[in-house]
Structures are given as C-alpha cells and as structure tokens.
Amino acid sequence: MAAYCNAADVRAMLKDDLINSLLGDQYIRDEEEREQRLLPLIEAAAEDAQAEIDGYLAKRYAVPLTRVPKVISKYAKDIAVYNLVSRIGVGTEADREQNYLERYKFALKFLQLAAAGTVSIGADSESPSAASATGFQMSGPQRIFSRDRMRGM
C-alpha cells in the first residue's frame, strides 16, 4: 500500500511559526527535538487524510489506491495540513488559516466530484462495479431476418 503523501512533503508545507503553535505553548529551541515532536503529529494527520480520501473514493475505486495519482497526493497534503492546523483552531480572520481552510474545501469538493464520477482521478484502479455503473452499449450488424422480411415466405 502506497501512502498518499509522506511526512516530508507535509512538513515542507508548514512554516516555522506555525510549527511552534502546533507543538503548544512551550517554545522548543532545539530544532531536532522540535522535529521529533512534530513527526508523530504529521504522520497521524497524513493517515487521517488518507482515510478521509478513501472514504470518498471507496464507491468508485478500489481503495487504498496502489498507484497514487498526483492529484490525490496533492489533495492528501492539503488535507493533512488542514488536519494539523485544525488542532489549534482555524479562524477566518487570519489569511494563512483561511488559505488552509480553502484548500481543504477544494480538496473535499474534488473528492465529492470524483466519488460521483464527474471527474476522474486518473487511476487505473477503478472497480468493476463502478465501471459498470457508468453503463454499457452493445452494437452489431443489422438484423437479416425480421417479421417484415420473412412475410410471404
């Protein structure tokens, strides 16, 4: 099973001042200790993001995805960062926090569209039941024998 995003990618999206807020009221001067305390939080947020994505995609795709499309990886990072920020509260007054909230909302909108089949995630792991839900069509040559053609024979 491939992770939809990794801790390093999520960590790269976080600014230092936000990290201090995520770790609590106490400022941690030692950078290595700060990263050690932050890593489990990031990993938990990434796992939660993957579970949330799987919840949306489960009706149409076989989850967890074995090959992770880039669009899913992008939205997994956005959801994971939002999961981290929401731990300390997301207000609408701060531009940065509003940005995280907006990115999360866009991710959810995309996942809803993907679950409905309106957009494709670009994965080849679509489940057979989901593929059949889109319908099928049969075609063949025109009938040779019909009631009208057989009349009088």
Side-chain angles (χ1 to χ4, degrees):
M1 174 178 89
Y4 294 176
C5 64
N6 62 43
D9 290 339
V10 175
R11 170 58 182 95
M13 295 177 70
L14 302 174
K15 304 288 185 203
D16 286 338
D17 60 332
L18 178 61
I19 290 170
N20 294 330
S21 299
L22 291 172
L23 293 176
D25 298 336
Q26 182 183 11
Y27 177 74
I28 301 170
R29 185 171 290 229
D30 183 21
E31 202 171 306
E32 188 175 315
E33 181 184 349
R34 189 172 40 197
E35 293 298 322
Q36 286 178 349
R37 286 190 181 186
L38 186 62
L39 184 62
L41 299 176
I42 292 174
E43 289 172 343
E47 288 175 15
D48 290 346
Q50 181 165 338
E52 189 169 353
I53 290 169
D54 284 348
Y56 279 97
L57 299 180
K59 283 189 132 182
R60 184 161 293 283
Y61 298 94
V63 292
L65 302 172
T66 52
R67 275 191 8 181
V68 183
K70 288 187 182 228
V71 68
I72 295 299
S73 180
K74 177 215 179 301
Y75 286 130
K77 289 183 280 188
D78 289 343
I79 293 171
V81 170
Y82 175 78
N83 289 342
L84 285 168
V85 173
S86 67
R87 296 180 74 237
I88 57 173
V90 178
T92 56
E93 64 279 349
D95 287 339
R96 178 184 63 199
E97 292 172 359
Q98 184 65 27
N99 184 36
Y100 294 135
L101 179 60
E102 289 300 314
R103 292 176 76 149
Y104 176 71
K105 287 179 181 178
F106 288 137
L108 292 187
K109 181 66 175 170
F110 176 82
L111 292 171
Q112 290 167 352
L113 292 173
T118 307
V119 296
S120 173
I121 62 170
D124 55 355
S125 63
E126 194 166 344
S127 69
S129 62
S132 66
T134 60
F136 74 90
Q137 180 179 2
M138 290 182 56
S139 63
Q142 195 171 17
R143 289 176 50 178
I144 298 174
F145 300 107
S146 67
R147 288 183 185 217
D148 291 333
R149 289 192 177 181
M150 297 298 291
R151 207 167 286 214
M153 291 188 137

